[in-house]
Amino acid sequence: MRNRSVSIIFGSLILWAVATYFLFLDQQSVGKDQDKDKLANQISRLEKQVKQQIIINQELLEGINENKRLKKEYERINAALQLKDDTEKNKDKKHEVNKNKSILLQKIESKNKKILENEQEPTQDTILSTEGTHNTPLRQKLPDGSPIIAILVVSCNRITVERCLNQLIKLRPSKEQFPIVVSQDCDHRQTADVIARYGNQLLHIKQPDQSDIEIPPKEKKFRGYFKIARHYKWALNQVFLKLGYSTAIIVEDDLDVAPDFYEYFLGTYPLLVNDSSLWCVSAWNDNGKAGLVDEHAPHLLYRTDFFPGLGWMLTRDLWLELAPKWPKSYWDDWIRQPEQRKNRACIRPEISRTRTFGKLGVSNGLFFEKHLKYIKLNEQFVPFTKMNLSYLLKDNYDIAFVNQVYQSTVVSYSELKSGNIVAPGPVRIPYYTRQSFKNTTKLLGLMDDFRSGVPRSGYRGVVTFFYNGRRVHLAPSANWSGYDITWS
């Protein structure tokens, strides 16, 4: 019994040991599975945390970049504000200096007025102080409301500029109303000496750029036209942008002027600034030769589609329009192109208020011997400022002009020349082709060329002149529809 109990106990122990062993193995397996699950969960949580951290880092990076951008923007704005403050301070200081300088110059000018007016050999200091008074004109109009119109004399190497300047100074009614600015190119010492002798009667400025100009090989012989265009641009910028004038009359250094030169431009000034269909007033009649104008009608004025030049008035607004596209050469033909003219017209006189005496120049006397030297210069004073010139406004002018032209009697050249015309009043000679126009103009002594399809002195295709005691219209058909640029 005892042995059996021992056996049972021993067997139970063995069974317990075996059961414990398998139980232990089972628990270890479960532990491993739990560890795997735990590890997987930890990896999953870590992955999520990494992703979240990446997102956070990106947001932080973007925030840093935005802060940098904002900081730069802030610094830029702050610098701009600082610059503005400095500029305003400088302006205030400059204004105060200019104010004090202006008062001082007025005192000096008042004290030495008689000396300056009579001085024939001005010192360099006098010229510089005079130039300073022109730099910033205080008014564009006189106290009585009259316009201030600058006279820009374009000069180069002609000492005969003296002839032009003497007339301009002698005839001008007011130094304050018509300040003369002589712009000199070419750096010609003798011409500069002549201009300097006028002292404070004018402002002498010099075109600083005397460098060579790049010119296409085929146009080397036209170098002068390139220099003239460059000079005009610089000079007009000086008059309108630096000196601040709102209106100017351009005069070449080889022009004589009529006794009523200033009166003519004063009288037509209101037309130019009030009629948007006008863009210049010219003192020149391209067909103004003696025998082709009515010398008893110096008061007559016309509209013309052809830009005449040779003493012409323009506004600063027009210059601001033209300056950005100003050509490198042949500026006068360029300005006659449709893109510049834009269907605008100029005022021109029956009898010219200027006449050229410059035979020699960049054109080598072109047209001078044959035509220019015969231009009639007006000798009578016409009180244009006291006349009603509203008939020259487009709405008034076009109706009356068309009626006069196309209601006039049609005649031939032979009838006009012989004077065998019974009907009174103006007459008309028709033309229908470019060649017929040229044939007739040569017979009459008119200029026969076209620029951008427009004949000289023409308006609506009509060239008006005076011949053998008659007002004559060389005119296209009544249904004329515009200029043909191929006629040039």
Side-chain angles (χ1 to χ4, degrees):
M1 186 69 179
R2 183 177 178 180
N3 290 335
R4 187 177 179 186
S5 298
V6 170
S7 297
I8 291 170
I9 293 170
F10 180 76
S12 297
L13 289 171
I14 292 172
L15 181 63
W16 175 82
V18 172
T20 302
Y21 173 76
F22 281 105
L23 181 62
F24 174 78
L25 288 177
D26 183 66
Q27 287 178 346
Q28 190 174 24
S29 177
V30 172
K32 288 182 179 179
D33 291 339
Q34 289 177 348
D35 290 342
K36 287 181 182 179
D37 291 340
K38 287 181 181 179
L39 182 60
N41 290 334
Q42 289 177 353
I43 292 173
S44 178
R45 286 196 300 271
L46 183 60
E47 184 179 5
K48 289 180 181 180
Q49 289 175 356
V50 170
K51 289 181 179 180
Q52 290 175 354
Q53 190 63 44
I54 290 173
I55 294 172
I56 292 170
N57 290 344
Q58 288 176 342
E59 291 176 348
L60 288 172
L61 183 61
E62 290 175 359
I64 290 170
N65 290 335
E66 179 66 14
N67 287 337
K68 286 182 179 180
R69 188 188 68 78
L70 291 174
K71 183 179 179 181
K72 288 182 179 179
E73 183 69 14
Y74 170 80
E75 291 174 349
R76 186 186 67 79
I77 294 172
N78 193 43
L81 290 173
Q82 184 64 37
L83 180 61
K84 184 177 179 182
D85 291 340
D86 293 343
T87 303
E88 292 297 328
K89 290 177 182 178
N90 290 336
K91 282 183 178 179
D92 292 340
K93 290 179 181 178
K94 188 175 180 180
H95 176 73
E96 188 65 26
V97 171
N98 286 340
K99 183 179 178 181
N100 295 333
K101 184 179 178 182
S102 177
I103 294 171
L104 179 59
L105 286 172
Q106 288 175 8
K107 289 180 179 179
I108 294 172
E109 200 169 273
S110 176
K111 184 177 180 180
N112 299 301
K113 185 176 180 181
K114 292 183 180 180
I115 298 174
L116 291 173
E117 288 177 347
N118 296 325
E119 188 176 12
Q120 295 300 316
E121 298 287 339
T123 64
Q124 185 66 18
D125 291 337
T126 302
I127 295 172
L128 289 174
S129 67
T130 303
E131 187 171 335
T133 62
H134 284 76
N135 279 341
T136 51
L138 300 178
R139 296 186 301 270
Q140 298 310 309
K141 291 187 177 181
L142 296 174
D144 64 358
S146 301
I148 296 174
I149 304 175
I151 309 297
L152 172 61
V153 181
V154 180
S155 176
C156 181
N157 57 2
R158 290 190 180 110
I159 60 173
T160 51
V161 65
E162 181 179 24
R163 174 172 165 176
C164 175
L165 293 176
N166 285 343
Q167 295 175 44
L168 288 171
I169 291 172
K170 178 183 177 181
L171 294 171
R172 71 174 167 180
S174 165
K175 174 183 173 182
E176 290 71 31
Q177 186 169 23
F178 294 100
I180 297 174
V181 180
V182 183
S183 180
Q184 186 190 355
D185 199 4
C186 309
D187 200 23
H188 189 250
R189 181 63 190 176
Q190 290 84 350
T191 302
D193 290 342
V194 169
I195 298 168
R197 289 204 296 266
Y198 290 90
N200 75 323
Q201 296 181 87
L202 52 80
L203 171 63
H204 183 195
I205 59 177
K206 296 180 181 180
Q207 203 281 96
D209 186 2
Q210 298 298 313
S211 63
D212 289 335
I213 303 177
E214 185 177 344
I215 301 172
K218 294 182 179 179
E219 300 183 72
K220 292 291 185 182
K221 62 180 180 180
F222 301 119
R223 181 181 301 275
Y225 292 102
F226 286 79
K227 289 187 175 181
I228 288 174
R230 179 174 68 180
H231 184 199
Y232 264 77
K233 182 175 184 179
W234 181 84
L236 286 166
N237 276 335
Q238 294 296 303
V239 167
F240 288 123
L241 304 183
K242 182 178 180 182
L243 301 177
Y245 294 110
S246 61
T247 312
I249 301 168
I250 302 175
V251 178
E252 286 80 0
D253 60 356
D254 62 345
L255 292 182
D256 290 323
V257 298
D260 60 351
F261 174 85
Y262 292 100
E263 178 74 3
Y264 169 70
F265 283 109
L266 273 179
T268 53
Y269 171 84
L271 297 172
L272 180 63
V273 297
N274 290 310
D275 187 346
S276 60
S277 69
L278 292 172
W279 70 328
C280 90
V281 175
S282 175
W284 182 259
N285 176 3
D286 278 287
N287 286 308
K289 293 191 291 187
L292 292 175
V293 294
D294 184 354
E295 297 187 17
H296 300 291
H299 63 283
L300 285 180
L301 306 179
Y302 301 85
R303 294 174 69 99
T304 177
D305 295 322
F306 190 90
F307 170 76
L310 293 174
W312 57 288
M313 179 167 65
L314 75 161
T315 64
R316 177 166 50 189
D317 287 342
L318 178 62
W319 176 242
L320 293 176
E321 173 191 327
L322 298 177
K325 54 180 180 175
W326 192 253
K328 293 184 178 180
S329 64
Y330 318 116
W331 71 267
D332 48 348
D333 282 339
W334 171 85
I335 209 172
R336 291 166 179 145
Q337 294 172 357
E339 295 81 6
Q340 280 66 252
R341 189 171 70 84
K342 297 179 180 178
N343 293 318
R344 291 173 292 192
C346 293
I347 300 295
R348 61 97 173 168
E350 169 77 8
I351 306 177
S352 289
R353 265 57 186 187
T354 57
R355 179 178 59 196
T356 179
F357 57 81
K359 178 180 178 180
L360 299 179
V362 293
S363 62
N364 296 317
L366 184 66
F367 294 136
F368 187 86
E369 287 296 331
K370 182 180 179 181
H371 186 81
L372 297 179
K373 73 177 184 180
Y374 300 108
I375 294 292
K376 171 72 177 176
L377 181 67
N378 180 58
E379 297 175 355
Q380 303 177 47
F381 186 91
V382 178
F384 286 109
T385 57
K386 296 178 174 61
M387 296 171 59
N388 182 1
L389 301 180
S390 61
Y391 71 92
L392 291 163
L393 296 172
K394 182 175 177 61
D395 292 342
N396 300 332
Y397 188 89
D398 283 10
I399 296 173
F401 180 75
V402 170
N403 287 337
Q404 184 191 79
V405 171
Y406 293 101
Q407 289 178 9
S408 59
T409 303
V410 175
V411 300
S412 65
Y413 166 72
S414 58
E415 289 174 321
L416 179 65
K417 185 177 181 181
S418 65
N420 296 326
I421 302 172
V422 178
V427 296
R428 172 166 51 105
I429 298 178
Y431 74 88
Y432 302 102
T433 65
R434 177 179 180 273
Q435 194 56 50
S436 66
F437 176 90
K438 282 184 165 289
N439 292 340
T440 304
T441 54
K442 287 178 179 177
L443 291 172
L444 293 165
L446 299 167
M447 296 196 78
D448 67 344
D449 59 326
F450 296 84
R451 292 290 187 272
S452 294
V454 184
R456 291 183 185 265
S457 77
Y459 187 69
R460 296 179 60 88
V462 180
V463 174
T464 299
F465 58 99
F466 198 75
Y467 192 91
N468 207 7
R470 290 268 185 171
R471 177 66 53 203
V472 186
H473 304 292
L474 180 58
S477 62
N479 61 354
W480 177 84
S481 59
Y483 295 106
D484 185 346
I485 197 171
T486 64
W487 284 26
S488 297

